[in-house]
Amino acid sequence: MSFYDTDIKFVKGIGEKRAQLFKKRLGLFTLQDLISHFPRAYEDWTNLTRIDEIPFNENVCVKAKISSEIQKRITKNKKIETYQFYIYDRTGQIKVTIFNNKYLAESLKQEEEYLFYGKVKWSGVFREMSSPEIRSVSECKIRPIYPSTEGLSSRQIEKIISGVFENFTVGEYLPENIIKQFNLMPHPDAVKQVHFPQSEEKIKMARNRLAFEELLLLRLGLTGLKNRARGKNSKKMSPLSLEEIASIFPFELTNAQLRVIKECQNDMYGEHPMNRLVQGDVGCGKTAVAAALCYSTVKNGYSGVMLAPTEILATQHYKALCSLFDKFGFTIELLTGSLTPKEKSRIKKDLKKGKINILVSTHAVLTEDVELPNTALVITDEQHRFGVAQRAVLSQKANHPHTLVMSATPIPRTMGLVVYGDLDISIIDELPKGRTPIKSYAVNYNLRERAIKYVKKHIDDGFQGYIVCPMIDSESNTELTAATEYAEELKNGLLKGYNIGLLHGKMKPKEKDKVMSDFALGKIQVLVSTTVIEVGIDVPNAVIMVVENADRFGLSQLHQLRGRVGRGTAESSCIFISNSTSKTTNERLQTLCSTTDGFKIAEADLKLRGPGNFLGKEQHGLPKMKIADLIEDKSILISASKAAEFILSDDPTLSLPQNSELKARVNSLFSKNRQIEFN
């Protein structure tokens, strides 16, 4: 065991009791965790300010002497003790007040020089500093500010980490040629400087090195995942001609669809199982690609599984595949959580016996009792709703099948290097013929009635529309529009006499299916819904959408919602309503109105919301970044990716002695979720 794995309780200054705080509240268990507990900010105590130049209400550091005796005062209720005195330098003086700190007050000496760090206010008569941090002049340095918790202050953590560097030696673990090629600060120096920097420049250099190595470990780990999936292809298939595949569809495939189908078939016929992501904007025809690969799989004697995040989308895929493959006699089943135990049992038995050609399912297929012995192809739709760990579960069930994941949420290239680093990527960059770009408008709440009248106009012309709300039911003290109440309001108001439907996540599956079926058949003219329609619902006659409280959604989600209209040949529109007065919010919505390019929108969304909110909570399996920033560190990520390629080109399994520590760190980074294999 490496000394980095030492339990944190054995570190000087911690002990058994304090270790529990580190573990439970900060998630720090080992010496390595402690060293990697990086400062969230810094206080620059080296940037000294003269008293006559101090800006008010800003943190400053003043070097000054105490000019007066320290006056102690106690409030009438005897709950607060204050200690007041004056400090001075050659340019002026400040009144200082400290509260309830007898030990500090008694340690200060008149005419001694100290450092005072805090904010200065103007009382109307003199400058005043309340509750400053006070240190000896010898501590004139840049001080780290750590993420802390009750019972563990930043200063306590600083002292403990300082002791670590006095008692332990941090070593280097990157190859020397990588350090030189990418002009990196040595690891021991970087770790020391990020905690106790000598200058702002040193902080930058240290942070760049640590971000580089963090992203390098991530890229190496994801490559290990890809290698693990790239075992021998035990389910090799004979590719079908593109002409045969194109002939099964009642419409013409785009060149982009045909190109991606060919890329996938080449993988499925190759030495290793396919492990590919298909990305494309809303409406580009990813489902047709998935259907084509299911057809190819069944024709080769195997079965396929398509996984969807919601029952509505799974049901839609099931019906579409049944309609498409009915003439071929394929056996297609739908497995969802709402089925009766008897129906589930029958489907699971047929799966085990290899009687089902294509299974469409929700998360229900991930349960332990589902076996997939004849499955050669696993497709996950709307990949951003699933995660790395869930892909691994399906891979194990089907004994390393060909894997295709699809996402209509475009991921910027640099983010894609991380999120989908274990996948090859294909992009459908062409929309089917006849699709008309959707016109989008961002309007104030004051124009809501006008927007609904615009919906009414389209309904009168024989079309259908959506009205999307951010919540199901109203809550106290909220200005958000609730779908249930708004549907009733429209029925009795602006859309009285029209057929209004309601759809939301709390409805039973059969109720949802009935509503969607009625909407698809044209029985419902306007569907008031929550974001449950975000993925996959396809009604070509729906040409108008209104999104209420649009400022409450991410740009990518709004773009995804917008994709529910414009599925046919008629001109379509989307109206984003917001009562926000924020300039940033309005700029966000105008970005959405100015482009229909999902990749440009995703880039803007990533910058605005950060990677955590952008990806959502469902992206299990990816290690959390401690210092690297996937938005700001694009260039570092690209360099780290190049470094990973260089290292693995010389040592694909990281077996050389000089890479042993590197391999150990990669395994440690991913150990909570899966084992990494380099082969």
Side-chain angles (χ1 to χ4, degrees):
M1 182 178 73
S2 167
F3 85 93
Y4 289 113
D5 296 321
T6 301
D7 191 299
I8 203 167
K9 69 182 179 182
F10 296 116
V11 174
K12 183 181 178 182
I14 296 183
E16 188 75 51
K17 186 176 180 180
R18 187 173 278 177
Q20 293 306 309
L21 291 175
F22 276 101
K23 292 175 181 179
K24 291 182 179 180
R25 296 186 179 177
L26 295 178
L28 308 180
F29 297 86
T30 66
L31 177 61
Q32 178 63 53
D33 293 336
L34 183 62
I35 292 174
S36 301
H37 188 63
F38 301 123
R40 61 175 174 79
Y42 298 91
E43 292 175 352
D44 189 355
W45 289 51
T46 67
N47 185 19
L48 301 176
T49 305
R50 297 185 343 178
I51 288 177
D52 67 342
E53 294 179 346
I54 288 176
F56 296 123
N57 299 314
E58 293 181 19
N59 281 323
V60 294
C61 187
V62 179
K63 184 165 71 171
K65 290 182 178 181
I66 297 176
S67 62
S68 66
E69 292 184 1
I70 298 175
Q71 302 291 325
K72 177 181 176 181
R73 289 188 173 86
I74 302 176
T75 57
K76 290 181 180 179
N77 57 16
K78 297 185 179 180
K79 289 185 177 181
I80 301 176
E81 292 180 349
T82 64
Y83 300 87
Q84 296 182 333
F85 54 93
Y86 286 87
I87 61 173
Y88 72 98
D89 66 8
R90 61 185 178 83
T91 67
Q93 71 173 1
I94 300 174
K95 182 182 180 181
V96 175
T97 303
I98 56 179
F99 298 87
N100 297 326
N101 198 332
K102 182 180 179 181
Y103 174 79
L104 174 61
E106 290 182 350
S107 70
L108 300 174
K109 298 178 181 179
Q110 194 171 345
E111 291 303 320
E112 284 283 338
E113 193 169 43
Y114 299 92
L115 298 175
F116 299 85
Y117 189 93
K119 293 180 179 180
V120 175
K121 295 182 179 180
W122 176 247
S123 70
V125 180
F126 45 75
R127 296 180 180 88
E128 185 172 12
M129 184 180 265
S130 295
S131 300
E133 287 195 58
I134 304 173
R135 295 284 184 270
S136 68
V137 175
S138 64
E139 295 189 67
C140 186
K141 55 189 176 183
I142 299 176
R143 307 191 66 92
I145 306 298
Y146 292 96
S148 54
T149 185
E150 185 178 352
L152 274 178
S153 68
S154 176
R155 287 292 178 253
Q156 288 173 317
I157 296 171
E158 176 188 352
K159 185 177 181 180
I160 290 168
I161 294 179
S162 178
V164 169
F165 287 106
E166 292 175 4
N167 294 284
F168 293 98
T169 301
V170 178
E172 180 60 73
Y173 67 94
L174 287 188
E176 187 176 347
N177 63 322
I178 295 294
I179 295 172
K180 288 182 179 179
Q181 183 174 352
F182 292 94
N183 194 28
L184 302 172
M185 176 183 276
H187 180 73
D189 295 344
V191 176
K192 186 72 178 289
Q193 288 295 325
V194 82
H195 285 290
F196 305 107
Q198 295 174 330
S199 66
E200 292 284 345
E201 182 62 25
K202 293 287 187 182
I203 294 174
K204 183 178 179 181
M205 292 173 64
R207 196 201 160 280
N208 284 353
R209 159 63 202 251
L210 295 172
F212 178 94
E213 65 185 45
E214 189 171 39
L215 293 169
L216 172 63
L217 294 175
L218 185 63
R219 293 291 294 133
L220 289 171
L222 290 169
T223 300
L225 280 180
K226 183 181 289 187
N227 288 342
R228 185 181 67 175
R230 290 172 69 86
K232 282 291 181 181
N233 186 355
S234 61
K235 294 165 181 171
K236 191 177 293 186
M237 302 183 196
S238 299
L240 304 182
S241 70
L242 292 179
E243 288 76 16
E244 179 181 350
I245 288 176
S247 70
I248 71 175
F249 295 97
F251 50 82
E252 184 180 351
L253 295 177
T254 65
N255 290 329
Q257 287 172 312
L258 291 170
R259 183 189 72 244
V260 172
I261 291 170
K262 184 176 181 180
E263 290 171 352
C264 293
Q265 281 206 125
N266 288 343
D267 287 351
M268 295 162 78
Y269 185 65
E271 183 180 351
H272 305 287
M274 175 177 70
N275 206 27
R276 185 170 289 275
L277 163 72
V278 173
Q279 264 195 295
D281 227 330
V282 287
C284 70
K286 294 180 295 299
T287 307
V289 171
L293 297 180
C294 286
Y295 174 81
S296 181
T297 299
V298 176
K299 282 293 186 178
N300 272 275
Y302 298 106
S303 61
V305 172
M306 182 180 288
L307 180 64
T310 66
E311 288 202 20
I312 288 179
L313 181 54
T315 301
Q316 181 169 292
H317 283 326
Y318 170 72
K319 291 178 178 178
L321 291 174
C322 285
S323 175
L324 184 64
F325 294 135
D326 178 61
K327 57 189 174 186
F328 299 108
F330 290 178
T331 302
I332 304 172
E333 293 283 2
L334 176 66
L335 177 63
T336 65
S338 63
L339 294 181
T340 65
K342 185 177 180 179
E343 290 173 318
K344 290 179 184 176
S345 179
R346 177 188 64 79
I347 291 174
K348 290 172 184 177
K349 286 179 182 177
D350 287 349
L351 276 173
K352 188 175 181 179
K353 293 177 182 178
K355 291 184 177 181
I356 296 174
N357 297 129
I358 302 173
L359 176 73
V360 183
S361 181
T362 56
H363 290 73
V365 78
L366 299 172
T367 57
E368 289 184 11
D369 59 342
V370 174
E371 298 180 50
L372 306 170
N374 193 50
T375 298
L377 174 67
V378 172
I379 300 171
T380 56
D381 194 10
E382 298 304 334
Q383 173 54 34
H384 67 291
R385 297 295 188 92
F386 299 99
V388 177
Q390 289 164 314
R391 291 208 303 269
V393 169
L394 280 173
S395 179
Q396 291 169 3
K397 280 181 177 291
N399 190 24
H400 302 301
H402 299 290
T403 300
L404 180 73
V405 299
M406 304 191 299
S407 178
T409 301
I411 303 289
R413 179 174 176 267
T414 49
M415 178 69 89
L417 285 171
V418 174
V419 179
Y420 300 124
D422 59 328
L423 300 170
D424 298 312
I425 298 178
S426 292
I427 296 177
I428 302 178
D429 52 5
E430 182 182 0
L431 291 176
K433 292 180 180 178
R435 289 285 173 87
T436 305
I438 302 166
K439 293 183 177 180
S440 300
Y441 310 92
V443 302
N444 188 273
Y445 183 83
N446 294 333
L447 296 178
R448 185 196 220 186
E449 183 175 333
R450 184 174 171 183
I452 299 303
K453 287 181 178 178
Y454 191 54
V455 172
K456 187 176 178 181
K457 175 183 178 299
H458 285 80
I459 306 307
D460 290 339
D461 290 338
F463 295 107
Q464 294 163 271
Y466 300 95
I467 297 177
V468 182
C469 302
M471 58 192 301
I472 299 173
D473 301 302
S474 63
E475 297 177 358
S476 59
N477 300 321
T478 181
E479 297 179 358
L480 300 183
T481 304
T484 51
E485 294 180 1
Y486 196 33
E488 287 300 314
E489 182 183 326
L490 291 172
K491 285 179 183 178
N492 299 313
L494 291 173
L495 295 180
K496 187 175 182 179
Y498 293 85
N499 293 324
I500 311 297
L502 175 65
L503 185 69
H504 57 74
K506 288 184 179 180
M507 295 169 65
K508 294 179 180 179
K510 288 185 179 179
E511 292 176 323
K512 293 179 187 176
D513 290 344
K514 179 68 167 61
V515 171
M516 281 312 307
S517 176
D518 287 349
F519 188 60
L521 292 172
K523 295 179 181 179
I524 292 174
Q525 295 169 294
V526 178
L527 183 60
V528 180
S529 173
T530 58
T531 56
V532 71
I533 65 158
E534 178 187 354
V535 291
I537 293 175
D538 190 356
V539 180
N541 194 50
V543 300
I544 178 71
M545 173 180 284
V546 173
V547 181
E548 295 282 348
N549 302 110
D551 52 293
R552 296 303 182 106
F553 302 94
L555 290 185
S556 292
Q557 188 176 31
L558 288 172
H559 180 57
Q560 185 85 343
L561 286 166
R562 174 170 62 181
R564 296 309 102 208
V565 297
R567 314 294 287 190
T569 56
E571 185 177 277
S572 298
S573 304
C574 189
I575 302 171
F576 303 110
I577 298 179
S578 168
N579 58 2
S580 173
T581 57
S582 165
K583 181 180 178 182
T584 302
T585 297
N586 292 328
E587 288 176 354
R588 288 175 63 240
L589 294 178
Q590 286 306 320
T591 296
L592 198 64
C593 295
S594 65
T595 181
T596 55
D597 186 325
F599 287 92
K600 290 181 180 178
I601 291 167
E603 189 77 48
D605 205 14
L606 179 60
K607 289 178 181 177
L608 288 164
R609 294 198 292 155
N613 291 323
F614 180 85
L615 293 174
K617 296 178 181 178
E618 296 298 331
Q619 275 298 339
H620 321 295
L622 289 176
K624 292 182 179 179
M625 300 289 95
K626 293 183 178 180
I627 197 166
D629 186 311
L630 294 174
I631 301 172
E632 300 298 330
D633 295 332
K634 290 181 183 179
S635 60
I636 297 177
L637 174 57
I638 292 170
S639 295
S641 298
K642 290 179 181 177
E645 292 175 10
F646 293 152
I647 292 169
L648 294 175
S649 64
D650 292 334
D651 185 13
T653 60
L654 294 182
S655 299
L656 296 176
Q658 62 265 32
N659 290 329
S660 60
E661 177 65 22
L662 188 60
K663 186 173 185 177
R665 285 179 179 252
V666 172
N667 286 332
S668 176
L669 185 65
F670 282 78
S671 62
K672 293 180 182 179
N673 303 297
R674 68 194 71 79
Q675 181 182 354
I676 298 302
E677 295 178 10
F678 291 90
N679 48 39

mmCIF file of all heavy atoms in Angstrom, residues 53-68:
data_model
loop_
_atom_site.group_PDB
_atom_site.id
_atom_site.type_symbol
_atom_site.label_atom_id
_atom_site.label_comp_id
_atom_site.label_asym_id
_atom_site.label_seq_id
_atom_site.Cartn_x
_atom_site.Cartn_y
_atom_site.Cartn_z
ATOM 1 N N GLU A 53 -4.520 55.052 1.566
ATOM 2 C CA GLU A 53 -4.953 54.610 0.234
ATOM 3 C C GLU A 53 -5.966 53.466 0.295
ATOM 4 O O GLU A 53 -6.319 52.879 -0.722
ATOM 5 C CB GLU A 53 -3.733 54.163 -0.591
ATOM 6 C CG GLU A 53 -2.768 55.295 -0.909
ATOM 7 C CD GLU A 53 -1.566 54.818 -1.704
ATOM 8 O OE1 GLU A 53 -1.365 53.574 -1.761
ATOM 9 O OE2 GLU A 53 -0.855 55.654 -2.278
ATOM 10 N N ILE A 54 -6.446 53.165 1.491
ATOM 11 C CA ILE A 54 -7.344 52.018 1.651
ATOM 12 C C ILE A 54 -8.707 52.302 1.008
ATOM 13 O O ILE A 54 -9.351 53.301 1.321
ATOM 14 C CB ILE A 54 -7.552 51.695 3.150
ATOM 15 C CG1 ILE A 54 -6.281 51.089 3.737
ATOM 16 C CG2 ILE A 54 -8.719 50.732 3.339
ATOM 17 C CD1 ILE A 54 -6.364 50.832 5.222
ATOM 18 N N PRO A 55 -9.176 51.410 0.107
ATOM 19 C CA PRO A 55 -10.542 51.533 -0.426
ATOM 20 C C PRO A 55 -11.527 50.979 0.604
ATOM 21 O O PRO A 55 -11.216 50.016 1.308
ATOM 22 C CB PRO A 55 -10.507 50.657 -1.681
ATOM 23 C CG PRO A 55 -9.477 49.617 -1.376
ATOM 24 C CD PRO A 55 -8.439 50.292 -0.506
ATOM 25 N N PHE A 56 -12.684 51.588 0.714
ATOM 26 C CA PHE A 56 -13.661 51.125 1.692
ATOM 27 C C PHE A 56 -14.389 49.871 1.190
ATOM 28 O O PHE A 56 -14.604 49.684 -0.002
ATOM 29 C CB PHE A 56 -14.667 52.235 2.015
ATOM 30 C CG PHE A 56 -14.036 53.428 2.682
ATOM 31 C CD1 PHE A 56 -14.142 54.698 2.132
ATOM 32 C CD2 PHE A 56 -13.311 53.268 3.864
ATOM 33 C CE1 PHE A 56 -13.557 55.790 2.748
ATOM 34 C CE2 PHE A 56 -12.725 54.358 4.489
ATOM 35 C CZ PHE A 56 -12.835 55.629 3.934
ATOM 36 N N ASN A 57 -14.726 48.999 2.159
ATOM 37 C CA ASN A 57 -15.540 47.797 1.913
ATOM 38 C C ASN A 57 -14.887 46.795 0.964
ATOM 39 O O ASN A 57 -15.569 46.058 0.245
ATOM 40 C CB ASN A 57 -16.927 48.188 1.378
ATOM 41 C CG ASN A 57 -17.686 49.036 2.373
ATOM 42 O OD1 ASN A 57 -17.733 48.735 3.562
ATOM 43 N ND2 ASN A 57 -18.261 50.137 1.887
ATOM 44 N N GLU A 58 -13.572 46.776 0.945
ATOM 45 C CA GLU A 58 -12.828 45.766 0.191
ATOM 46 C C GLU A 58 -11.777 45.154 1.108
ATOM 47 O O GLU A 58 -11.212 45.843 1.960
ATOM 48 C CB GLU A 58 -12.139 46.378 -1.039
ATOM 49 C CG GLU A 58 -13.092 46.871 -2.107
ATOM 50 C CD GLU A 58 -12.344 47.438 -3.312
ATOM 51 O OE1 GLU A 58 -11.138 47.107 -3.463
ATOM 52 O OE2 GLU A 58 -12.938 48.207 -4.060
ATOM 53 N N ASN A 59 -11.516 43.853 0.937
ATOM 54 C CA ASN A 59 -10.497 43.208 1.752
ATOM 55 C C ASN A 59 -9.124 43.788 1.447
ATOM 56 O O ASN A 59 -8.721 43.857 0.280
ATOM 57 C CB ASN A 59 -10.485 41.698 1.508
ATOM 58 C CG ASN A 59 -11.594 40.983 2.248
ATOM 59 O OD1 ASN A 59 -11.924 41.347 3.373
ATOM 60 N ND2 ASN A 59 -12.190 39.970 1.637
ATOM 61 N N VAL A 60 -8.439 44.200 2.491
ATOM 62 C CA VAL A 60 -7.087 44.743 2.343
ATOM 63 C C VAL A 60 -6.201 44.187 3.453
ATOM 64 O O VAL A 60 -6.691 43.692 4.471
ATOM 65 C CB VAL A 60 -7.071 46.288 2.420
ATOM 66 C CG1 VAL A 60 -7.798 46.894 1.238
ATOM 67 C CG2 VAL A 60 -7.670 46.769 3.739
ATOM 68 N N CYS A 61 -4.900 44.258 3.223
ATOM 69 C CA CYS A 61 -3.941 43.872 4.262
ATOM 70 C C CYS A 61 -3.116 45.107 4.630
ATOM 71 O O CYS A 61 -2.538 45.760 3.750
ATOM 72 C CB CYS A 61 -3.027 42.747 3.779
ATOM 73 S SG CYS A 61 -1.964 42.085 5.085
ATOM 74 N N VAL A 62 -3.121 45.433 5.903
ATOM 75 C CA VAL A 62 -2.427 46.621 6.399
ATOM 76 C C VAL A 62 -1.336 46.193 7.391
ATOM 77 O O VAL A 62 -1.589 45.380 8.278
ATOM 78 C CB VAL A 62 -3.410 47.574 7.113
ATOM 79 C CG1 VAL A 62 -2.672 48.797 7.653
ATOM 80 C CG2 VAL A 62 -4.530 47.990 6.171
ATOM 81 N N LYS A 63 -0.147 46.728 7.199
ATOM 82 C CA LYS A 63 0.920 46.514 8.183
ATOM 83 C C LYS A 63 1.006 47.772 9.039
ATOM 84 O O LYS A 63 1.290 48.862 8.536
ATOM 85 C CB LYS A 63 2.255 46.235 7.500
ATOM 86 C CG LYS A 63 3.362 45.919 8.501
ATOM 87 C CD LYS A 63 4.588 45.284 7.833
ATOM 88 C CE LYS A 63 5.348 46.294 6.996
ATOM 89 N NZ LYS A 63 6.653 45.734 6.517
ATOM 90 N N ALA A 64 0.699 47.627 10.315
ATOM 91 C CA ALA A 64 0.620 48.810 11.180
ATOM 92 C C ALA A 64 0.958 48.446 12.623
ATOM 93 O O ALA A 64 0.947 47.270 13.014
ATOM 94 C CB ALA A 64 -0.780 49.421 11.097
ATOM 95 N N LYS A 65 1.254 49.504 13.401
ATOM 96 C CA LYS A 65 1.553 49.325 14.828
ATOM 97 C C LYS A 65 0.337 49.707 15.666
ATOM 98 O O LYS A 65 -0.477 50.534 15.253
ATOM 99 C CB LYS A 65 2.742 50.196 15.233
ATOM 100 C CG LYS A 65 4.063 49.733 14.644
ATOM 101 C CD LYS A 65 5.213 50.609 15.136
ATOM 102 C CE LYS A 65 6.553 50.132 14.591
ATOM 103 N NZ LYS A 65 7.686 50.958 15.076
ATOM 104 N N ILE A 66 0.229 49.104 16.845
ATOM 105 C CA ILE A 66 -0.841 49.454 17.781
ATOM 106 C C ILE A 66 -0.409 50.695 18.555
ATOM 107 O O ILE A 66 0.639 50.709 19.209
ATOM 108 C CB ILE A 66 -1.131 48.282 18.736
ATOM 109 C CG1 ILE A 66 -1.639 47.072 17.944
ATOM 110 C CG2 ILE A 66 -2.155 48.686 19.793
ATOM 111 C CD1 ILE A 66 -1.867 45.828 18.778
ATOM 112 N N SER A 67 -1.236 51.747 18.467
ATOM 113 C CA SER A 67 -0.830 53.031 19.049
ATOM 114 C C SER A 67 -1.461 53.304 20.407
ATOM 115 O O SER A 67 -1.044 54.222 21.118
ATOM 116 C CB SER A 67 -1.192 54.169 18.090
ATOM 117 O OG SER A 67 -2.596 54.216 17.896
ATOM 118 N N SER A 68 -2.475 52.534 20.788
ATOM 119 C CA SER A 68 -3.187 52.850 22.032
ATOM 120 C C SER A 68 -3.342 51.596 22.889
ATOM 121 O O SER A 68 -3.110 50.470 22.442
ATOM 122 C CB SER A 68 -4.575 53.407 21.708
ATOM 123 O OG SER A 68 -5.377 52.404 21.102
#
